[in-house]
Amino acid sequence: MAFTNKEAAVMPPATVGIDGGLKKNAVGTRDIVFLLVSAAAPLTVVVGIAPLALAVGGVGAPVIYIVAALSLALFAIGFMALTRHVNSYSGFYGYISKTLGRVVGLGSGLTAWMSYNGLQIGLYGLLGIQANLAVKSITGVEVPWWLYGIVAIGAVWYLGWRGIDVGAKVVAVLLTLETAIVAILAAFVLAQGGAHGIGFESFSPEAIFSPQFAAVLALGFSAFMGFESGALYREEARDPDRSVPRATYISIAFIGAFYAFAVWIIVQAFGPNVVQEFAAGHLDAGDTAYIAAGNFVGEWCVNLMSILIVTSIFAAQLAFHNTINRYTLSLSREGVFPAWAGMINPRYRTPSSAGIVQSVLAVASVVVFAALELDPFTQFLIWMNTPGVLGVLFLQALTSIGVVVFFIRQKDKTLKWYVIPSAIIATLVMFAVSFLLLSNLELMTGAAAGGALNTILIMVLPAIFIVGVVIALILRRVRPDIYQRIGQGKGE
């Protein structure tokens, strides 16, 4: 990711808005890119999720990330076009409210708040596991996963409280390091010719057009979670009409290319004929990428990678924390959430109360799962993440529908010919991917297909959405003043 300093040279420095809102001009294109890519946790996906894609999808697994990137680029075309014509600082919530109405909008607002909390909080289980493994391998000391989780919650809260610009600098460093370690592994694998020579079987029609490829396609989309949150930073961005779209497209391109290349490197490290069986046999240990690093680079690379995956997860949690805080702020500003949840720190101009709410919720979740002695990965992470992934896919589909509805109604708006077709295709893709994910949910949860656990995890999404719809209908009748503010955001 190469950037110039031109943007920084011509844009004004960070300032405090006269309306007492969030800090203005705090982040530019480069900062937003780091936040969006960090939310996708590249090294975490390569180490933790890619082996599952290889185990189920086979040698064609690298292509699922290319397909996901192309599909999400179509989504971004419509979404970014909408952001130029509809003023909102409320992310999906604001745009859906202004295109599909306040009732659907509030349902989407609560869905977004639930989804990103699920994605962020569940990661504390994975961070606890990986942090314990890293520390134990270096010092021999073993610490409960939940203790690492609580320490990380405190650190995430602090950086979120200090400001989006401070958080962007931290994730920039962490993202650079995790990208570098994958680049080092790739260089050694390519230099040594892989396990059996360098090949491109992953991109053959036989590998792509296979039943198992379709089964894991949803995993490719789940790896991009968070890229769409750039619109939430419009209030704090320099020249948001340019910086947010640029950052969104750059993020999609980088994430797609990074994942496809990194997973292809793992295929080369073990060989296309054995990689699927090897990955399947090491899912429980989760050490496929570590073994590749040890075989081709050395033990020092394994140790460094075990540390960087912890920082990768932390960077993702910080990015999601910032996203959640801005949804909480929007819902509070509009009277849906209590007013105190929208209080802004007078010194750093950050949504400090929202950060406290999110952190307390995270601590409570960690404590409950730890007290019940539930597994931090197969139960805490999976149970929290699954509704979140489904929720974000649903929100993307609703947003694409909103794009079509808005521009059909607003015929006077200047529009490129491909925007509406892109939004229509994106809508169909999101529903198709959601269907594939639901049809193969047991791959993520490990529970029996059609069992009670999967049913409960699936029902979380419609339940939260319906709650939002019901609240909106009640507000329309008893508090029309609050109802009129739903989805209006800050810029009205």
Side-chain angles (χ1 to χ4, degrees):
M1 287 180 293
F3 298 88
T4 68
N5 292 322
K6 184 182 296 183
E7 181 187 59
V10 300
M11 293 302 174
T15 58
V16 175
I18 59 174
D19 61 350
L22 299 174
K23 186 187 295 184
K24 305 294 186 280
N25 305 313
V27 289
T29 300
R30 175 171 51 189
D31 303 307
I32 299 173
V33 168
F34 282 124
L35 288 166
L36 302 187
V37 176
S38 294
L43 184 58
T44 304
V45 171
V46 171
V47 174
I49 306 300
L52 175 60
L54 287 165
V56 180
V59 70
V63 183
I64 67 174
Y65 301 103
I66 298 175
V67 173
L70 293 174
S71 300
L72 292 171
L74 292 176
F75 164 78
I77 288 172
F79 186 32
M80 292 299 105
L82 186 64
T83 65
R84 288 192 290 270
H85 293 281
V86 176
N87 185 28
S88 175
Y89 297 141
S90 305
F92 285 146
Y93 165 48
Y95 293 111
I96 292 172
S97 297
K98 293 185 176 184
T99 57
L100 300 181
R102 295 178 177 86
V103 174
V104 175
L106 188 53
S108 69
L110 294 188
T111 299
W113 189 84
M114 176 278 297
S115 298
Y116 288 109
N117 265 298
L119 291 171
Q120 198 263 4
I121 294 173
L123 284 173
Y124 285 110
L126 183 59
L127 182 141
I129 295 172
Q130 295 296 335
N132 181 53
L133 289 174
V135 173
K136 184 180 178 181
S137 66
I138 297 172
T139 67
V141 177
E142 188 165 5
V143 177
W145 72 268
W146 53 265
L147 185 57
Y148 287 110
I150 291 176
V151 171
I153 291 170
V156 166
W157 166 81
Y158 175 76
L159 291 172
W161 172 65
R162 283 298 310 275
I164 192 69
D165 48 342
V166 175
K169 292 181 175 65
V170 172
V171 299
V173 174
L174 300 181
L175 180 62
T176 300
L177 292 174
E178 63 181 288
T179 303
I181 197 67
V182 174
I184 291 171
L185 172 60
F188 275 82
V189 171
L190 293 175
Q192 297 175 46
H196 307 291
I198 303 301
F200 298 93
E201 293 85 354
S202 295
F203 308 99
S204 66
E206 294 79 9
I208 298 172
F209 298 103
S210 62
Q212 59 264 35
F213 180 86
V216 296
L217 186 59
L219 287 177
F221 283 79
S222 68
F224 285 76
M225 294 289 118
F227 89 90
E228 71 291 331
S229 59
L232 283 166
Y233 304 126
R234 289 181 63 85
E235 184 176 345
E236 300 153 280
R238 296 188 290 268
D239 191 9
D241 287 338
R242 298 183 64 187
S243 60
V244 171
R246 283 180 178 177
T248 301
Y249 291 124
I250 291 171
S251 300
I252 294 172
F254 177 81
I255 295 171
F258 180 91
Y259 286 151
F261 177 71
V263 179
W264 176 74
I265 286 294
I266 294 177
V267 173
Q268 304 313 303
F270 296 100
N273 296 326
V274 301
V275 67
Q276 182 173 12
E277 181 180 356
F278 186 90
H282 287 258
L283 284 180
D284 291 338
D287 58 358
T288 297
Y290 292 131
I291 292 174
N295 290 343
F296 285 89
V297 186
E299 193 64 25
W300 69 267
C301 185
V302 176
N303 293 333
L304 183 56
M305 187 178 288
S306 69
I307 295 173
L308 291 179
I309 191 173
V310 178
T311 63
S312 172
I313 300 167
F314 179 82
Q317 288 170 312
L318 177 58
F320 280 129
H321 177 75
N322 287 323
T323 296
I324 297 161
N325 290 350
R326 280 143 189 83
Y327 273 114
T328 302
L329 177 63
S330 295
L331 290 163
S332 176
R333 278 171 167 173
E334 296 159 12
V336 179
F337 281 4
W340 57 262
M343 291 179 61
I344 293 176
N345 181 274
R347 179 180 180 184
Y348 297 115
R349 312 312 304 176
T350 56
S352 53
S353 292
I356 293 173
V357 170
Q358 203 280 318
S359 300
V360 169
L361 183 60
V363 169
S365 300
V366 168
V367 169
V368 168
F369 274 77
L372 295 175
E373 297 184 351
L374 296 173
D375 186 84
F377 183 85
T378 60
Q379 293 172 314
F380 187 41
L381 173 69
I382 298 300
W383 293 1
M384 298 294 287
N385 272 200
T386 300
V389 171
L390 290 169
V392 172
L393 289 172
F394 178 65
L395 292 168
Q396 289 172 344
L398 281 182
T399 302
S400 293
I401 294 172
V403 170
V404 176
V405 170
F406 177 81
F407 285 116
I408 287 178
R409 289 176 176 172
Q410 305 289 329
K411 297 184 182 297
D412 59 320
K413 303 295 184 184
T414 302
L415 194 67
K416 299 292 186 181
W417 65 268
Y418 50 78
V419 171
I420 292 180
S422 296
I424 293 173
I425 295 172
T427 302
L428 297 175
V429 168
M430 296 309 163
F431 281 123
V433 172
S434 298
F435 173 78
L436 288 173
L437 180 56
L438 292 172
S439 301
N440 299 279
L441 195 62
E442 65 275 9
L443 295 179
M444 289 185 65
T445 65
L453 175 60
N454 288 344
T455 301
I456 292 172
L457 294 176
I458 291 172
M459 292 307 298
V460 170
L461 168 60
I464 294 295
F465 182 80
I466 291 171
V467 167
V469 167
V470 170
I471 292 175
L473 292 173
I474 294 173
L475 290 174
R476 186 169 65 181
R477 183 176 181 84
V478 303
R479 290 296 306 272
D481 55 325
I482 295 179
Y483 176 78
Q484 291 298 320
R485 289 157 58 188
I486 290 176
Q488 296 307 297
K490 179 142 179 357
E492 298 302 317

